[in-house]
Amino acid sequence: MLLRSKNHCYQLRETTMQYFKVKKNKQGKKVIETQLAGKPILTIPQLNKGTAFSQEERRSLGLLGKLPGRVEDLDGQVQRAYQQFCDYTLPIHKNIFLNVLHNTNEVLFYALIKKHFKEMMPIVYTPVVGDSVVDFSKSFRQTRGLYVSYEDIDNLEEIFQNRTNQDVQLIVITDGSGVLGIGDQGVGGMGIPIAKLVLYTAIGGISPYNTLPVVLDVGTDNQTLLDDPLYLGWRHPRINEKEYQHFIEKVISCIKQEYDRAFIHWEDFSAKNAVSILDRYREKMCTFNDDIQGTGVVALAAILAALKRKGSNIKGQRILIFGAGAAGCGIAEHLFHSMIKLGFTEQEAKDQFWLIDRQGLLFDDSDNISQVQMNFARSKDERPLFNEYSLHGVVKVIKPTILIGCSAVAGSFTDEILRDLASLVDHPVILPLSNPTERAEATPEAIYTATLGRVFVATGSPFPAFSFGGKAQVIGQCNNAYAFPGIGLAVVAVKARRITDEMLYAASEAICDYVVNNKYSDQLITPIPEMSVEIAKSVAYAVAKKAVESDNAGLSGDPIKLVDELYWEPKYYPVVRG
Ligand code: NAD
């Protein structure tokens, strides 16, 4: 830790680093206590208030003369920061500006993005975060989170001790191998845990003093990065399977040792590693994979909402998934486990799925089929039922009531397929989930036109409202950001020991209920951005309640109160000398 000595030099103390502590003072009010003084305070975003430090704080913290004389409040600072934000025209420059602010003054950053939520979310999160990940090494300015490199395998304890936030309760971790449809981004993947944690705080109300973004730098197979002289990660091909598994095991053991019961959110791992890590740790610790489970939660929420609007239920639905990769199979798994919880037999649940991948409809004798795809493959005995195994051929035979696209094949839900589907099924549920926008299997407008509006739609990417039947149609997005912030809030609030299928189902139901009970539109089956915070709280209440009921919570008490008490809003606490 940096300490200020009498002669005003700074020195390192050789104990565990603790820059600050959030605590309650004698009057029961929250304060931030620090042993630092002077300039270092202005360089730590959790401590820095900039021009909002009071005169008293300036005197006691050695800041006199280091700031312009006028003491501002947070609102004034937000106003200035917004003007500065507006001075940038390119989204990537706006993203860089917000990242710098995030690394300068955390409270101001959150106050700003919460005030201008709709405008800034696409800048700090998708889609612009994808560009910032690609540009990571080029646009790197300040650092945040922990970079855990395979080269440092013998120093992992030290790395995890070197965190700035002492009380870490939520970790988002990536190895940058499967980023947002842009694949292997190596160390640049760090942009994703940072962005996810911004949403956990801005939407889910988890205090930024309790979070930690982590990137595992295990090399990269992205030749462009390896050839880039500015690349900031380990210039080495990705390590082999055995080394990787050993490294993950060591990382997990350090995390357990250092952070005891922190909730671990895995993000943007390649499909194979994502599944194997989740399978290995889900029963051993409180852990969650957003690409698999988060996607499943929002997709199920959309389906439940559409079925509720139709006065129907999940039993007997025919679910066709086009693109059986990580997302497609993740959705199938989540729907399947939810059906089992609802009392279906495994066979009954499995019979409701058809999966199509590059080979066409998947059968149990198909070539190149993965284990997870095999779980949902149809029996080879059904082959004669189909003239062709293409999407159109399968639609004509099985008449799917729910059609989900996770293929990233643009336009694959053609007008002809959609027209035929609408003629065979009353109000099918159609979810073209592929991102980015130009990869969507169909646009909502094309779906409405081809089906004459007799349809329920939600998309993976955001689409603008369009006019249909003389009315403006607003289409909700099947965005994981409606699920994970509330799930995390619940887990941290009640100190859940595990994330169970029941808790995830409760999350889907909470999203569905919010959307269906909201008077916004009788066509909407997933939320719109304005609903984010309310949705997160509804999800958190439902998930926390389920955790307590199932004896899966480390804290007892009213789960709703626990969630409300935890919810963090950006405001300045007094900073005092420790
Ligand atoms: P992935 O690469 O793991 O899966 C894509 C699958 O589509 C692969 O199995 C591939 O073989 C298959 N495919 C490719 N061409 C095909 C074709 N012509 N016919 C049939 N199948 C074909 O990727 P993923 O992580 O599963 O993501 C898929 C898409 O879903 C991406 O666009 C991603 O952005 C999107 N997604 C959306 C959400 C959401 O809306 N909440 C969440 C996760 C992923």
Side-chain angles (χ1 to χ4, degrees), residues 189-207:
M190 180 54 128
I192 301 295
I194 292 173
K196 290 276 171 171
L197 285 170
V198 167
L199 267 62
Y200 267 117
T201 297
I203 299 173
I206 295 179
S207 164

Side-chain angles (χ1 to χ4, degrees), residues 128-420:
V128 181
V129 69
D131 302 336
S132 89
V133 165
V134 172
D135 269 9
F136 176 82
S137 293
K138 197 174 101 193
S139 63
F140 184 84
R141 283 162 172 74
Q142 287 154 303
T143 188
R144 166 170 288 269
L146 289 181
Y147 293 81
V148 184
S149 169
Y150 185 70
E151 288 182 293
D152 282 322
I153 189 159
D154 296 325
N155 305 315
L156 296 184
E157 285 85 359
E158 186 181 337
I159 290 176
F160 282 104
Q161 280 163 9
N162 278 346
R163 65 195 185 267
T164 307
N165 284 339
Q166 288 302 299
D167 183 15
V168 172
Q169 298 181 26
L170 166 61
I171 301 174
V172 178
I173 185 162
T174 188
D175 70 357
S177 58
V179 178
L180 293 172
I182 49 175
D184 185 347
Q185 294 298 322
V187 78
M190 180 54 128
I192 301 295
I194 292 173
K196 290 276 171 171
L197 285 170
V198 167
L199 267 62
Y200 267 117
T201 297
I203 299 173
I206 295 179
S207 164
Y209 307 120
N210 300 126
T211 64
L212 176 67
V214 172
V215 66
L216 304 179
D217 187 357
V218 290
T220 176
D221 293 335
N222 181 333
Q223 199 56 45
T224 311
L225 297 180
L226 291 171
D227 293 342
D228 179 359
L230 287 185
Y231 179 59
L232 287 169
W234 184 34
R235 211 177 285 274
H236 191 280
R238 283 191 178 266
I239 54 178
N240 68 36
E241 183 64 21
K242 201 168 154 221
E243 292 166 326
Y244 184 83
Q245 298 305 342
H246 174 60
F247 187 56
I248 296 283
E249 197 64 46
K250 277 202 84 169
V251 166
I252 290 294
S253 125
C254 275
I255 288 178
K256 275 187 168 168
Q257 187 183 313
E258 275 298 314
Y259 313 111
D260 190 21
R261 290 231 309 257
F263 168 41
I264 300 183
H265 167 143
W266 305 93
E267 185 68 41
D268 284 353
F269 284 71
S270 64
K272 187 171 110 271
N273 287 334
V275 172
S276 83
I277 290 173
L278 186 62
D279 285 351
R280 191 149 23 118
Y281 296 107
R282 68 187 299 173
E283 299 300 334
K284 295 188 187 147
M285 57 201 300
C286 194
T287 183
F288 171 79
N289 182 299
D290 188 46
D291 305 299
I292 300 172
Q293 295 166 300
T295 305
V297 168
V298 284
L300 176 60
I303 291 168
L304 292 176
L307 296 177
K308 219 170 211 181
R309 291 205 187 278
K310 281 172 75 167
S312 185
N313 63 59
I314 195 87
K315 197 166 180 82
Q317 301 299 326
R318 296 179 297 280
I319 304 164
L320 176 55
I321 299 181
F322 181 71
C329 291
I331 290 170
E333 291 270 340
H334 183 62
L335 297 183
F336 174 83
H337 288 298
S338 302
M339 290 174 182
I340 301 296
K341 298 292 162 209
L342 291 172
F344 292 38
T345 65
E346 289 205 0
Q347 196 56 49
E348 279 169 345
K350 201 185 146 189
D351 282 348
Q352 293 191 218
F353 291 92
W354 287 261
L355 265 55
I356 296 180
D357 208 81
R358 289 175 201 272
Q359 312 91 312
L361 182 60
L362 297 179
F363 293 97
D364 52 14
D365 63 349
S366 295
D367 290 335
N368 299 323
I369 182 166
S370 71
Q371 185 48 53
V372 55
Q373 289 173 333
M374 185 61 97
N375 294 340
F376 298 97
R378 305 299 299 187
S379 161
K380 61 180 184 307
D381 301 340
E382 293 180 21
R383 279 189 182 276
L385 297 175
F386 299 89
N387 287 329
E388 43 171 331
Y389 306 138
S390 66
L391 176 61
H392 201 172
V394 175
V395 163
K396 283 195 251 184
V397 174
I398 69 160
K399 308 179 180 67
T401 53
I402 299 167
L403 173 62
I404 304 174
C406 295
S407 62
V409 181
S412 44
F413 295 176
T414 61
D415 290 350
E416 206 186 349
I417 293 175
L418 294 167
R419 251 194 320 271
D420 281 354

